[in-house]
């Protein structure tokens, strides 16, 4: 037990140092340097660095290191907190409960995305129909190629897989999984998920945890982008860094959410039947509407469980 606790302590310290202290130390140094810079004139910074003195007293040096480490860790915690807020905005799982100004803005965003999605989805359906008619008919070819259809489909998916119901692409990507199972087999996935999570094999849970952590890392990077606005305020060229960090975080976030949604969907499809049998239902084969609805009513009858396991978007 002692060895186990020591190993856990080492891993915790390593993660704490890697995820909080190192990025925080870089941020503190960036803020300190930005205070000395004036445009692209690096002379003041060079003079400031040369003027720094290292304490010769061991206790003073240790105090400097401790204070620097605490400030760096605080910056890391701040980035993580801002990242949690960014994640809430990106996934927009509970946007209907946001404060009134944000909720109104989100509603306008949802309506705009719905309008765009309807237009491009109709164009994609029209192109697909014309392309299919051109393949099966002896009439004059429609002029629609497979590439045209693929590009039209990409335009649809760039907005949302299904009719938008959230103000962001990432939120709609997760919502598409929930809506898909609701439509396919009347399964309310957020309610059933805690039970399904406990029934999943360890290897599957590990994959989902890894994908979930990738989402959190992307949102934390966005949190750092927000904090670096302070550096850009002190030294305007850093706005390029802020833009680069945020665009990178957004791109990573989209990829991570896509992978995470696919894993949640696949895990549900592969193991929902096992859960149904564990709950006492006589079920074989793919999940049908009767079993899905019965599972939903069973778990909701025990109280509408909030998905707090480490496999659902609301948990960091």
């Amino acid at each position: 037990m002692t060895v186990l606790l020591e190993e856990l302590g080492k891993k915790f310290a390593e993660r704490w140092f890697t995820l909080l202290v190192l990025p925080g130390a870089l941020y503190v140094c960036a803020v300190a340097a930005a205070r000395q810079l004036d445009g692209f004139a690096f002379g003041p910074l060079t003079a400031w660095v040369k003027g720094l003195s290292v304490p010769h007293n061991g206790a003073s040096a240790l105090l400097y290191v401790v204070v620097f480490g605490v400030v760096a860790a605080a910056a890391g915690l701040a980035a993580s907190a801002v990242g949690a807020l960014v994640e809430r905005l990106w996934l927009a799982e509970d946007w209907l409960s946001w404060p009134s100004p944000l909720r109104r803005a989100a509603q306008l965003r949802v309506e705009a995305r719905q309008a765009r999605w309807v237009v491009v989805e109709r164009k994609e359906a029209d192109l697909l129909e014309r392309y299919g008619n051109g393949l099966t008919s002896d009439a004059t070819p429609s002029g629609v190629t497979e590439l045209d259809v693929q590009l039209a489909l990409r335009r649809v998916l760039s907005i949302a897989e299904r009719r938008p119901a959230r103000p962001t692409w990432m939120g709609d990507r997760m919502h598409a999984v929930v809506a898909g199972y609701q439509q396919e087999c009347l399964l309310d996935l957020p309610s059933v998920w805690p039970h399904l999570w406990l029934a999943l094999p360890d290897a599957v849970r590990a994959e989902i945890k890894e994908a979930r952590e990738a989402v959190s890392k992307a949102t934390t990077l966005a949190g750092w982008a927000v904090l670096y606005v302070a550096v850009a305020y002190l030294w305007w060229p850093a706005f390029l860094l802020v833009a680069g960090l945020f665009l990178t975080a957004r791109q990573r976030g989209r990829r991570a959410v896509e992978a995470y949604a696919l894993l949640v969907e696949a895990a549900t499809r592969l193991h929902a039947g096992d859960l149904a049998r564990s709950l006492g239902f006589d079920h074989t084969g793919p999940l049908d509407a009767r079993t899905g609805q019965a599972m939903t009513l069973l778990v909701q009858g025990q109280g509408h469980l909030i998905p707090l396991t480490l496999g659902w978007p609301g948990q960091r």
Side-chain angles (χ1 to χ4, degrees):
M1 179 61 69
T2 303
V3 175
L4 176 61
L5 292 177
E6 288 179 355
E7 289 298 321
L8 290 175
K10 290 179 181 178
K11 290 182 178 180
F12 175 78
E14 181 180 350
R15 287 178 62 86
W16 179 79
F17 186 78
T18 302
L19 298 178
L20 295 180
V21 178
L22 282 182
L26 179 61
Y27 175 75
V28 172
C29 292
V31 171
R35 288 174 58 87
Q36 307 301 321
L37 288 170
D38 182 14
F40 292 100
F42 295 95
L45 176 61
T46 303
W48 177 72
V49 172
K50 289 181 179 179
L52 292 176
S53 60
V54 179
H56 297 288
N57 184 282
S60 298
L62 179 60
L63 179 62
Y64 274 61
V65 171
V66 170
V67 171
F68 182 80
V70 169
V71 174
L77 290 173
S80 181
V82 176
L85 179 60
V86 171
E87 180 179 303
R88 186 178 178 185
L89 293 174
W90 278 358
L91 294 179
E93 184 180 10
D94 57 346
W95 70 271
L96 291 174
S97 64
W98 290 357
S100 181
L102 279 178
R103 185 172 65 250
R104 180 57 182 162
Q107 178 65 39
L108 293 175
R109 173 72 174 165
V110 170
E111 293 172 356
R113 297 182 75 248
Q114 288 175 345
R116 287 173 51 214
W117 187 86
V118 168
V119 171
V120 296
E121 196 274 337
R122 287 176 179 173
K123 289 182 179 179
E124 189 267 340
D126 179 64
L127 287 174
L128 183 60
E129 182 180 1
R130 289 164 57 192
Y131 176 70
N133 291 338
L135 292 178
T136 59
S137 175
D138 295 332
T140 303
S142 62
V144 177
T145 65
E146 183 178 356
L147 178 60
D148 295 328
V149 176
Q150 291 178 352
L151 291 175
L153 179 59
R154 286 180 64 88
R155 284 191 290 270
V156 173
L157 296 179
S158 68
I159 301 174
E161 185 173 322
R162 294 173 176 267
R163 190 173 188 271
R166 294 184 182 177
T168 63
W169 180 90
M170 295 184 213
D172 271 320
R173 184 62 188 90
M174 291 306 306
H175 176 74
V177 179
V178 176
Y181 279 106
Q182 182 67 45
Q183 180 179 357
E184 179 182 331
C185 53
L186 300 181
L187 181 74
D188 184 57
L189 187 55
S191 298
V192 175
W193 181 256
H195 301 73
L196 181 59
W197 177 256
L198 295 176
L200 291 177
D202 291 341
V204 176
R205 285 195 289 182
E207 289 288 338
I208 295 176
K209 284 181 180 180
E210 185 177 351
R212 185 66 186 81
E213 289 176 359
V215 177
S216 295
K217 288 178 180 178
T219 56
T220 301
L221 183 60
W224 281 115
V226 173
L227 291 190
Y228 269 92
V229 171
V231 178
Y233 176 78
L234 297 171
W235 186 55
W236 66 264
F239 275 113
L240 297 175
L241 175 62
V242 172
L245 283 175
F246 189 80
L247 290 176
T248 301
R250 181 175 177 273
Q251 188 65 23
R252 289 183 181 179
R254 287 173 70 101
R255 290 200 301 265
V257 168
E258 174 67 23
Y260 178 59
L262 288 173
L263 285 173
V264 169
E265 184 175 8
T268 304
R269 192 169 302 280
L270 291 173
H271 299 282
D274 297 335
L275 175 63
R277 287 185 288 274
S278 298
L279 292 175
F281 296 103
D282 184 12
H283 172 76
T284 57
L287 204 64
D288 54 26
R290 179 179 179 182
T291 306
Q293 185 178 38
M295 291 171 61
T296 298
L297 293 175
L298 176 63
V299 299
Q300 289 183 350
Q302 299 172 358
H304 189 76
L305 299 179
I306 301 175
L308 295 178
T309 59
L310 184 60
W312 196 252
Q315 176 77 15
R316 281 183 64 84

